Amino acid sequence: MQKAQIRRGRRRFATTWEQRRLGEVVDVRSGRDYKHLKPGLIPVYGTGGLMTYVNEALSKNEDAIGIGRKGTIDQPYKLYAPFWTVDTLFYAIPKIGIDIEFALSCFLRINWKAKDESTGLPSLSKSAINDTRILLPDAREQSRIGTLFSKLDSLIALHQRERVEACL
């Protein structure tokens, strides 16, 4: 396990960041077919986003990070529980002590296309996800970083909406 000292301004953090495999940070699970389910209120997601609604959830109360197994492997996004994912979308649930917003920011920075395991349609495996290395700070620092990125994402989305509305 490698450790790295991170600088903030002129001071060093007291915390160290440890190099970890994503498999130590999140539990990667596979989506499943939903066609046997009845219509309902639970959203079903695929690599392209929301597909339909059903009456059962794969994840009832744990938010996760969706990442494509086929197709758009380089566009991870947050999934809010309850939800169902199809078999072309993995969902990664952060392990205890891991901030989901920080984990999502890590997923968004990884070059997933470089881990493509196919010759045609882009394809990603659980082992490729689990073996990917990231730097991980302590839980308090994860929360701070995750909150910062979440606020930045909200601000960007707000400005994008304002630009669209101004064009209408």
Side-chain angles (χ1 to χ4, degrees), residues 7-96:
R7 289 182 184 260
R8 177 186 279 170
R10 293 182 181 171
R11 273 186 22 208
R12 286 182 180 246
F13 276 174
T15 62
T16 57
W17 291 43
E18 298 178 348
Q19 186 176 34
R20 297 284 179 97
R21 290 178 26 254
L22 272 177
E24 299 174 79
V25 175
V26 296
D27 180 18
V28 180
R29 300 176 185 175
S30 297
R32 299 195 319 232
D33 185 23
Y34 68 92
K35 293 180 183 125
H36 65 286
L37 301 174
K38 296 176 184 167
L41 300 174
I42 308 296
V44 176
Y45 295 97
T47 55
L50 180 64
M51 296 173 59
T52 190
Y53 293 89
V54 294
N55 66 331
E56 289 184 35
L58 279 178
S59 182
K60 292 182 173 114
N61 55 15
E62 296 175 300
D63 293 342
I65 299 161
I67 184 164
R69 185 180 70 80
K70 296 279 185 190
T72 54
I73 64 174
D74 62 335
Q75 298 173 16
Y77 55 94
K78 189 172 178 183
L79 299 168
Y80 295 93
F83 65 84
W84 187 280
T85 65
V86 298
D87 60 354
T88 59
L89 187 71
F90 290 124
Y91 63 103
I93 295 179
K95 294 188 178 180
I96 293 172

Side-chain angles (χ1 to χ4, degrees), residues 22 25-26 65 94 98-108:
L22 272 177
V25 175
V26 296
I65 299 161
I98 303 298
D99 181 84
I100 191 166
E101 297 297 338
F102 177 82
L104 177 60
S105 72
C106 291
F107 269 77
L108 289 167

